[in-house]
Amino acid sequence: MADVTIWNEYRHEREDDDVAAVYPDGIHATIADALDDGGDERDDGPDHEIRTATLDDPEHGLPPDVLEETDVLLWWGHEAHDEVSEAVVDRVQQRVLEGMGLVVLHSGHYSKVFKRLMGTTCSLQYREDGGTERLWVVDPGHPIADGLDESIELPRTEMYGEPFDVPEPDRLVFTSWFEGGEVFRSGCCYRRGSGRIFYFRPGHEEYPIYEHEDVRRVLRNAVDWATPTEGAPRTFGERD
Amino acid sequence: MADVTIWNEYRHEREDDDVAAVYPDGIHATIADALDDGGDERDDGPDHEIRTATLDDPEHGLPPDVLEETDVLLWWGHEAHDEVSEAVVDRVQQRVLEGMGLVVLHSGHYSKVFKRLMGTTCSLQYREDGGTERLWVVDPGHPIADGLDESIELPRTEMYGEPFDVPEPDRLVFTSWFEGGEVFRSGCCYRRGSGRIFYFRPGHEEYPIYEHEDVRRVLRNAVDWATPTEGAPRTFGERD
Amino acid sequence: MADVTIWNEYRHEREDDDVAAVYPDGIHATIADALDDGGDERDDGPDHEIRTATLDDPEHGLPPDVLEETDVLLWWGHEAHDEVSEAVVDRVQQRVLEGMGLVVLHSGHYSKVFKRLMGTTCSLQYREDGGTERLWVVDPGHPIADGLDESIELPRTEMYGEPFDVPEPDRLVFTSWFEGGEVFRSGCCYRRGSGRIFYFRPGHEEYPIYEHEDVRRVLRNAVDWATPTEGAPRTFGERD
Amino acid sequence: MADVTIWNEYRHEREDDDVAAVYPDGIHATIADALDDGGDERDDGPDHEIRTATLDDPEHGLPPDVLEETDVLLWWGHEAHDEVSEAVVDRVQQRVLEGMGLVVLHSGHYSKVFKRLMGTTCSLQYREDGGTERLWVVDPGHPIADGLDESIELPRTEMYGEPFDVPEPDRLVFTSWFEGGEVFRSGCCYRRGSGRIFYFRPGHEEYPIYEHEDVRRVLRNAVDWATPTEGAPRTFGERD
């Protein structure tokens, strides 16, 4: 069981009726529900201690004490990346290096926190065509793939295509096939400092992606994988 | 300029009229022609010293002195992997560890030399459907991608699909999209000892894949990339 | 809790009085004791189901059913690597690719199973000088480092020095400093197929290395880390 | 031949007589001399087009046109990292992602440009004890090790120790042994975007490290390695 904070920009859902129809309580609420859902043979009681935070909360809902108590932070943002304060980005980066897990979702590839931790533009190609995506498990032994079949099919979604301007992942778990002819590294694992980072592509706001059973399972697996372990001391500075 | 040896099983071309129609002098001859082809703005004289070797040559055309003089070995095999002697596999492995480059093509994924160097089964999924493949450049900064566009399209080919049971590549240069719905890591770089290894998927014997201009360019780039550099000594054993 | 099999060559202890004095019941017995030792704040009952197997047992103690039931295999060998049958090496490799964890210890770097899975010679430099080794944790966030301090000090041991002819590790957890002036990558993580492999350098037969509290903790951590997870299917072959 | 820009903070040499005695024309001048030094069997004419730039030049000597024309940038800084403007850091990052090579030296590990590109604190341990360092080649096949022996010995230098808070290197070329008992990953290769980055530890301002023949060779090798290749297009944004 981990202390999980789900961060959502939470603007589309309040501004756009189509999005509100898909995610009436916000994307964060649907993700919270997914993480709490032990329907996939998990019978170990309440899975996680979950809280949510959004852009328009004070300090974006991420004051120091919240991050201090967070084991794994999930991040969904899209249209207002620039409104996230540098102070919060600094704080998230520091906590990741100390060991906090970070799961970056979909358009969060362009978030300040992800770009800060990757050191690259995190750019990609895209097309909002509502076509089919099939996410292939390319690393069947990875715990984030636990309980999946050989691929996940999403009937209607936005396309993301290569090149994806990120460092070569430590491990690549999923690669997406798109109906329109593109591919994308859609499940990428990184370690930065003592923290585990997972980028997971699915999640456009106009489609009920986070209702998909396999996507929900990946979210649960990713939180488990990203939960900090004990480790050894990170001691820096002058030595005697 | 490198000393290049192109190894080809050279059975399909002699046994099957359809294959002979595509590769009348053998796949090795077409690859030799590709490597010698400076048509893509290369004007630096004869590119490489090229020799070819085939399964039915004595010692499969790879006696010690040939390997000793080889900078980069290309490998194409399919139906007769088991006929390759362990002695030759030992020799190729040793030379790669000493620095010889190795470019493994298409069905060569199941060759003894590739399995020996990878330590895995190198299994995959496949379907001979003659569908379209698009190889996306996922690492545009890699020298094996020099001079390419964002993708290479092969109108008719065999499909290879994930999972591909190889170690995570040191660098992934290409990922393939297949018309039938699959993806594949189709350009994988490894280092083993001092040797550079590149696995490149295209190359089914029934389609003129090695006549494709972009595929030929990748072969040339791969040979350049895999050519040994000087390095430091590899000294092992007891120290004073 | 995992099903653990500790494989030991078990010759030195029976042939050499000095070694017998250090490991009277065999290195395997001392390791078994280490794995069962919850002294380091572990209070979760019996840690593992442990069995041992040695070279001179029928099928080296590793018939198919034993490997089938093994979650993590530890491997210590030194003077008789060549006596291990190819059939058993094949079997161990296959089980690792299917997900079985493998922890290779000290002179096991030259074992057939490790060389098979690495694809390289696994050579190194060495000197039996009884000098001091300090293993630095270079990846403090790694679970194999859980509960350690910044380094482990072994007062008297054999030296292993670079170069170490293995593929670049997926993650490097420890790097050793030796009194005599050498360094060595002494804790190396790999994934091959669905299996996790950890090479851990400490363990010379003439010193009571496996009695050292921190070394014992690393062995426990490594078994936990290498225990298989569920994963997704590894399906290969022709597709419809 | 590459267009090389050597960036040096150039403060110690002007403020401290001891440093001025070692590097009378600045560290940048000594490095420039090293890069131009074909003494190691290089006979291919002038090696590089070299310019230098320092912190107190307008725009730190790195206006857009200079970076645009730079193939490889070397970076030495120490006491004034904070004075480097964000605009110049942005510009260097962008050029690296486009393909410019970057060689970060010694205390440059704490520079804004390196921290930006790594996404981590780049912290480490240190001790100014003037002890001996031995850099072991752990990747003898790497071109940055060309022409070296198995190790480089620096009789007097500052110590840097693990942990080093950087992402796991794509390839680790050198690991340092220090007389005082520490180790350090002292030659680390990264790719970010299309750019190659090499961190090389040696270089304290109080010792004539950049006069050492092997260190000079590594600088030349690193510039060769980091020189951009052609690549494929990096196209981002909306697709039709």
Side-chain angles (χ1 to χ4, degrees), chain D residues 15-59:
Chain D
E15 293 167 356
D16 183 325
D17 288 348
D18 291 345
V19 177
V22 179
Y23 294 110
D25 300 316
I27 285 175
H28 51 294
T30 303
I31 292 175
D33 185 61
L35 295 185
D36 220 13
D37 177 2
D40 57 330
E41 302 97 58
R42 290 163 65 120
D43 54 358
D44 46 2
D47 285 352
H48 300 296
E49 199 72 46
I50 297 175
R51 79 178 86 198
T52 62
T54 70
L55 179 63
D56 294 322
D57 293 335
E59 299 192 63

Side-chain angles (χ1 to χ4, degrees), chain B residues 130-170:
Chain B
T132 296
E133 173 180 13
R134 197 178 292 173
L135 292 102
W136 285 91
V137 177
V138 300
D139 187 358
H142 201 282
I144 291 180
D146 276 1
L148 297 177
D149 203 345
E150 66 178 13
S151 67
I152 299 174
E153 186 153 333
L154 303 177
R156 300 195 61 211
T157 190
E158 183 186 14
M159 183 282 290
Y160 278 10
E162 295 281 347
F164 184 20
D165 187 27
V166 286
E168 182 101 1
D170 294 344

Side-chain angles (χ1 to χ4, degrees), chain D residues 7-16 19-20 26-28 54-57 60 76 78-81 83-84:
Chain D
W7 192 91
N8 182 17
E9 191 179 276
Y10 198 32
R11 290 272 178 89
H12 289 293
E13 302 95 321
R14 293 186 294 148
E15 293 167 356
D16 183 325
V19 177
I27 285 175
H28 51 294
T54 70
L55 179 63
D56 294 322
D57 293 335
H60 313 322
W76 197 101
H78 183 217
E79 60 168 323
H81 293 313
E83 296 181 38
V84 175

